[in-house]
């Protein structure tokens, strides 16, 4: 007797799909979508509904291919128009994500939050920013859990407040330029003194003075309202990151290096003194181009100079420079290239011994 193959009728199995589920009137309704398209459609990036839905059909269980009954659709949505119901489920439903995909999304968001924290903070003891790996380790020590329904920026600010309770970490100052009539500047300077702001420089032209200063990010709204509403001046944010005099340019840094350290506080400088400094800098630049080239091509981390700018840029990508950067974060002196290679080989041999030790 031959064995016949029995196939179920009316059962449509779908695989490799993103399921959006909506519970209504005690019943569950699902739609089958293409992976990685639901969030794009909700954010407005994807406009074509056919590129999101695999089929304009409402299911009670997508994985088993069970279709929703018409009477259930009418009872829950007041209509049996499946295209209209699919659109409502896509807008209001909950996206079902697989375990590995959810883990990947949470890991990616954890990295994004750590990156924002790194960019906005520094260590007040060393006056240097934390590395991304160090921030991630601190976040794990306080048992931080990512909330997928909240934005990364909001969670980063909450992480900073929590880290400040346990570790030496401080928000990076915000650098602002304010332009106002000359008679309004004394009032501004009094306010900046109250806010404990650090004045970087002052410039003047045609009866107007421009003041550049650094302040705590929490005072942004107070400063903005005072300058715009009370002084009727111009307000401009120059940056939230850290600066330091004589540091290398941005394009000379790669992804594995730390950002520059914050600018040290300076006392207020008069416009006349500032103009004299600028003139002296111009004269020294014209008189000594060779010295300026040497200064630009000197790596302060490894304490070595390069005549060729190309070799200098390649040096910042070398293992020697990266190793000294790690030592610098631990406040250790730099090593020469030979010492660095020997130190790295010693570290490798120690790790090998740990692997094979009993």
């Amino acid at each position: 007797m031959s064995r016949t193959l029995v196939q179920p009728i009316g059962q449509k199995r779908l695989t490799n799909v993103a399921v959006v589920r909506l519970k209504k009137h005690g019943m569950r309704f699902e739609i089958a979508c293409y992976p990685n398209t639901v969030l794009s459609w909700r954010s407005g990036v994807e406009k074509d509904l056919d590129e999101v839905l695999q089929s304009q059909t409402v299911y009670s269980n997508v994985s088993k291919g069970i279709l929703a009954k018409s009477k259930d659709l009418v009872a829950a949505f007041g209509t049996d128009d499946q295209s209209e119901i699919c659109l409502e489920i896509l807008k209001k439903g909950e996206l079902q994500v697989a375990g590995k995909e959810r883990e990947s999304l949470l890991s990616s968001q954890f990295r994004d939050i750590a990156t924002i924290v790194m960019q906005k903070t520094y260590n007040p003891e060393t006056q240097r920013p934390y590395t991304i790996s160090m921030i991630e380790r601190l976040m794990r020590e306080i048992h931080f859990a990512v909330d997928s329904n909240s934005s990364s920026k909001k969670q980063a600010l909450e992480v900073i407040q929590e880290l400040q309770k346990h570790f030496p970490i401080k928000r990076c100052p915000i650098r602002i330029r304010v332009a106002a009539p000359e008679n309004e500047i004394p009032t501004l300077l009094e306010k900046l003194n109250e806010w404990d702001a650090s004045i970087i420089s002052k410039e003047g032209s045609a009866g107007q003075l421009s003041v550049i200063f650094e302040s705590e990010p929490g005072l942004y709204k107070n400063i903005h309202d005072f300058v715009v509403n009370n002084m009727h001046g111009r307000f401009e944010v120059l940056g939230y990151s850290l600066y330091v005099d004589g540091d290398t340019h941005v394009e000379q840094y790669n992804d594995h290096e730390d950002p520059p350290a914050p600018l040290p506080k300076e006392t207020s400088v008069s416009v006349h003194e500032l103009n004299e400094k600028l003139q002296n800098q111009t004269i020294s630049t014209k008189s000594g181009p060779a010295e300026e080239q040497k200064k630009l091509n000197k790596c302060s981390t490894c304490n070595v100079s390069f005549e060729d700018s190309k070799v200098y840029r390649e040096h910042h990508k070398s293992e020697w420079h990266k190793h000294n950067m790690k030592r610098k974060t631990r406040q250790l002196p730099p090593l020469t290239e030979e010492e660095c290679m020997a130190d790295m080989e010693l570290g490798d041999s120690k790790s090998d011994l740990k692997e094979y030790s009993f």
Side-chain angles (χ1 to χ4, degrees), residues 302-303 320 323-324 333-343:
C302 302
N303 196 20
W320 175 24
H323 190 70
N324 277 332
L335 299 177
T336 63
E337 189 171 8
E338 293 78 10
E339 293 172 342
C340 178
M341 294 300 113
D343 192 25

Side-chain angles (χ1 to χ4, degrees), residues 81-348:
D81 185 357
Q82 301 220 0
S83 300
E84 184 179 339
I85 296 173
C86 284
L87 194 60
E88 183 177 347
I89 296 175
L90 189 60
K91 287 180 181 177
K92 302 178 181 179
E94 182 182 356
L95 177 62
Q96 305 299 306
V97 184
K100 289 185 178 180
E101 188 176 354
R102 183 185 295 109
E103 185 179 348
S104 176
L105 291 173
L106 293 177
S107 176
S108 176
Q109 191 172 6
F110 185 90
R111 181 80 175 185
D112 293 341
I113 294 170
T115 303
I116 296 173
V117 173
M118 181 196 70
Q119 294 171 348
K120 292 182 176 293
T121 59
Y122 70 100
N123 188 341
E125 296 179 355
T126 62
Q127 294 295 310
R128 297 292 300 176
Y130 288 96
T131 60
I132 185 69
S133 58
M134 197 177 298
I135 292 293
E136 289 180 345
R137 181 172 59 81
L138 296 180
M139 289 169 63
R140 292 189 183 97
E141 286 186 14
I142 63 173
H143 306 290
F144 171 73
V146 178
D147 183 4
S148 58
N149 298 320
S150 180
S151 67
S152 298
K153 185 176 180 181
K154 180 181 177 182
Q155 293 185 76
L157 296 177
E158 294 172 356
V159 168
I160 293 173
Q161 293 178 359
E162 189 64 27
L163 288 176
Q164 287 175 338
K165 298 176 183 178
H166 305 88
F167 306 103
I169 188 169
K170 193 175 180 181
R171 287 282 302 273
C172 295
I174 179 174
R175 181 170 290 198
I176 299 172
R177 176 190 285 128
V178 172
E182 195 171 353
N183 57 345
E184 295 283 352
I185 294 299
T187 308
L188 174 64
L189 295 179
E190 290 180 6
K191 277 289 183 182
L192 294 180
N193 190 29
E194 291 179 12
W195 291 324
D196 197 23
S198 173
I199 299 175
I200 306 302
S201 65
K202 293 194 293 184
E203 300 174 339
S205 62
Q208 267 203 340
L209 276 180
S210 176
V211 180
I212 299 176
F213 59 91
E214 287 183 350
S215 176
E216 290 292 330
L219 297 172
Y220 171 84
K221 189 176 185 303
N222 295 337
I223 298 173
H224 178 271
D225 294 343
F226 177 78
V227 172
V228 175
N229 300 332
N230 296 359
M231 297 179 56
H232 304 287
R234 287 190 294 109
F235 181 90
E236 181 184 0
V237 177
L238 299 181
Y240 296 88
S241 57
L242 303 172
Y243 300 86
V244 67
D245 283 336
D247 216 338
T248 50
H249 299 289
V250 176
E251 58 268 15
Q252 294 168 351
Y253 281 91
N254 58 29
D255 295 335
H256 302 286
E257 295 178 339
D258 292 337
L263 184 71
K265 292 188 176 180
E266 297 179 2
T267 56
S268 57
V269 185
S270 65
V271 178
H272 181 67
E273 292 176 354
L274 183 63
N275 291 333
E276 286 184 355
K277 286 184 178 180
L278 291 174
Q279 289 176 2
N280 292 335
Q281 288 177 2
T282 307
I283 293 171
S284 61
T285 302
K286 292 180 180 178
S287 60
E291 293 180 1
E292 183 185 3
Q293 184 68 21
K294 287 182 181 178
K295 183 180 178 181
L296 287 176
N297 291 343
K298 181 179 180 180
C299 176
S300 58
T301 302
C302 302
N303 196 20
V304 64
S305 300
F306 300 90
E307 295 182 0
D308 189 0
S309 59
K310 183 178 179 181
V311 177
Y312 174 61
R313 287 192 296 269
E314 291 176 353
H315 164 74
H316 282 81
K317 301 177 182 179
S318 65
E319 295 298 328
W320 175 24
H321 181 77
K322 294 175 185 177
H323 190 70
N324 277 332
M325 286 293 293
K326 293 178 182 177
R327 291 177 61 84
K328 190 174 183 180
T329 57
R330 299 195 298 268
Q331 297 183 345
L332 297 174
L335 299 177
T336 63
E337 189 171 8
E338 293 78 10
E339 293 172 342
C340 178
M341 294 300 113
D343 192 25
M344 291 172 66
E345 289 177 2
L346 181 62
D348 292 339

